[in-house]
Every structure is written in structure tokens, then in C-alpha cells.
Amino acid sequence: MTLYIDPRPAVGDTDARPLAIRAAEALDNHVLDSVKNLDQTDVSLYPLAPLYDGFQLGRALWDFRPRSLTVMHKPRVIAAPAVRGVRLSAELTRPMPSAVASLAQPLLDVPHNLDGGLCTRVEGVGDADRHRLALIIDLINDGHVVPNALHVARTGQVHLPRTGRHTGYVLGPTPHDDGDSCAATVVIQTRTDSLDEASPDAFEAVARTIYQTWREARAEWERTIGHDDIETRIFIAAPLAIAIALGWVLHNEAAVHVVHHVRALTGSTRRDPA
């Protein structure tokens, strides 16, 4: 059975629910209408969405529990077929056996600070921002992702210094509004030119490694500042399947937010009203 779901609102539609939630509800309703036993049904999801919406879709899919739910991955090579990306299951949240961790190790680089910890403190950040942690993920090997994300995380400024060019990240009500800073950063980068050649098992190992790294980094920053009221901001450039998987495992973490990146804004300059 094949289902096509397009949650875009029709003209005059006043439904204010996020598109990701509408998509998840439509998937749930269509499958329940079409199959007798959801717990005996295997579902493969072929998603097409911005990463921000993909993360929200992952969160919304938490309550949708077929026997298996697999998020497919479409390689960037145009003619390449979609392959298994990440299977959404409780395994994603469990500690990894060494054999699983070894699959992600050659694909990921997780830099440590001078003391051997994960969190790098941002100097000059005020007390009001000490609780804010930035998790920066670059799995597409783009040389601009990490520097731009670090600039936005450390300063709260969405424009680059000197050039005034927009980073593409949106922190405020309008695209050119600045926002709050983060007091600590954690960077995860790919060691390869592309994850497209990784095996499905390695794809899942990457998702699990990111999740475990975030848990360890949050605990480390809690110890550093002396309380557990930590807000995480995620700056992510990755395959969509990874973003959906992160949304799924972080479904109940209200203090975790993905920073919206609008590609069309990248490189633009502020236009002040005359």
C-alpha cells in the first residue's frame, strides 16, 4: 500500500497546527483506516521537507507505532534510489555496544575542549545566558556551516561581521532580528565528503552517537553551571533522516529547539526601511 501525504494548507485554510503535526496525524489516520493491525505493519517513510520541519515531524511521529517505522534516505546524487536511513525505535536511545559505536567512529568527529570535555565555554556571555547550550551538527561537510553557526550561537547575531551577510539562521520574529547567545558549544562534524555511501546500520549509529553526545554534553554543562535548567539550541546541516530521528528521540525534551535555517536568506543583507 502506498500513501501520498501533502499537508500544505489549502486556500482559506485556517488550521494553525504546524505542518509536521498535520502530516503525522494524516499518516496515522490513513494507516489506521487501511490496516487492521498497526503493530503488525511495516511503514517506510519517504520524506521531503526542510530540516526544521523534519525535526518537528520526528517529534510528532512518536505516538505513531507500527511494527517498524523506517525513514528512507535519498542520496544527493540525482539518479540514486532512496535507501534505508534510520529505523525509529527504542534502540536509538540506548547505550551503544562497541560494535555499533565503531560504525560511527570513522564517520564523525566530536572535538573535545582542553580539559577533555565536550563543552567549549563561550567567553564574555552574561549570567542570563549561562543555561544555553548550542549543539552544532555538520554532516554535509560544508565549510560554512560550523563557522556561521558558531558565530550565531556565541553572539546571538544572525549577520556576519564585516560583510553584514545573513547566515540564514533565524532567531527572532523577523529574519533580521538578533537573539540570545549560548554560553557553551558542542560541535559534531562528518569526517567524510558525504554520508550517502554509509550503510544503513552506520546511519543509525550516527543518529545514536549524536543523541548520546548531546546527553553527555548536557550533563557536563549541568555540572559546570550547577543546575539542570539547560536549554539546547541545535544548529543542524544533515540528511533529513537524521533530523527526523533526532526529533523522534528528543520528542519530550521541551527545552531542545532546532534553529530554523532559511537557505534563501543566506548571503542576503539587511534592508532597513527608508
Side-chain angles (χ1 to χ4, degrees):
M1 178 179 63
T2 301
L3 300 174
Y4 172 72
I5 297 173
D6 184 352
R8 289 181 295 180
V11 175
D13 190 347
T14 59
D15 189 344
R17 289 173 302 162
L19 294 182
I21 294 177
R22 296 172 67 174
E25 290 176 347
L27 175 63
D28 196 0
N29 292 335
H30 280 307
V31 172
L32 289 177
D33 288 343
S34 305
V35 301
K36 294 181 179 180
N37 299 307
L38 184 61
D39 60 355
Q40 298 178 21
T41 302
D42 300 318
V43 176
S44 295
L45 181 66
Y46 293 77
L48 179 62
L51 292 175
Y52 176 86
D53 291 331
F55 182 87
Q56 306 304 329
L57 177 60
R59 279 186 158 170
L61 287 172
W62 174 259
D63 292 325
F64 177 60
R65 294 299 184 93
R67 178 170 62 183
S68 70
L69 176 57
T70 302
V71 183
M72 306 298 285
H73 167 64
K74 179 65 174 71
R76 285 182 287 180
V77 178
I78 295 177
V83 297
R84 179 164 69 87
V86 181
R87 182 179 292 113
L88 303 184
S89 74
E91 288 296 317
L92 294 176
T93 64
R94 293 171 182 158
M96 288 182 292
S98 57
V100 175
S102 66
L103 294 174
Q105 193 278 330
L107 300 174
L108 295 181
D109 182 23
V110 185
H112 290 69
N113 60 36
L114 295 177
D115 297 324
L118 290 166
C119 300
T120 299
R121 184 188 294 268
V122 179
E123 300 298 333
V125 173
D127 290 343
D129 297 318
R130 290 183 69 237
H131 67 290
R132 206 169 286 115
L133 171 69
L135 175 62
I136 298 170
I137 304 166
D138 174 17
L139 302 186
I140 64 173
N141 202 15
D142 183 323
H144 298 289
V145 168
V146 172
N148 286 359
L150 283 173
H151 167 73
V152 176
R154 290 168 174 168
T155 66
Q157 299 170 358
V158 299
H159 296 85
L160 295 172
R162 290 185 289 185
T163 66
R165 297 289 182 178
H166 204 293
T167 60
Y169 293 106
V170 177
L171 296 181
T174 70
H176 295 285
D177 290 339
D178 292 330
D180 299 317
S181 301
C182 297
T185 61
V186 180
V187 177
I188 300 175
Q189 294 176 271
T190 180
R191 298 176 185 266
T192 68
D193 290 336
S194 172
L195 288 180
D196 287 345
E197 303 301 321
S199 69
D201 290 337
F203 238 73
E204 293 188 11
V206 166
R208 293 175 71 172
T209 299
I210 294 172
Y211 174 70
Q212 294 296 335
T213 300
W214 168 77
R215 285 177 54 89
E216 293 170 14
R218 184 180 66 172
E220 178 184 317
W221 196 240
E222 287 175 356
R223 294 191 296 270
T224 299
I225 67 175
H227 64 77
D228 61 1
D229 184 20
I230 304 295
E231 176 188 339
T232 303
R233 287 186 174 175
I234 301 179
F235 297 77
I236 183 170
L240 181 56
I242 298 292
I244 291 174
L246 288 179
W248 195 84
V249 297
L250 296 170
H251 73 283
N252 64 346
E253 297 289 347
V256 176
H257 312 282
V258 169
V259 178
H260 201 176
H261 188 270
V262 181
R263 187 177 297 275
L265 288 171
T266 306
S268 65
T269 55
R270 184 193 302 270
R271 294 184 179 181
D272 294 321

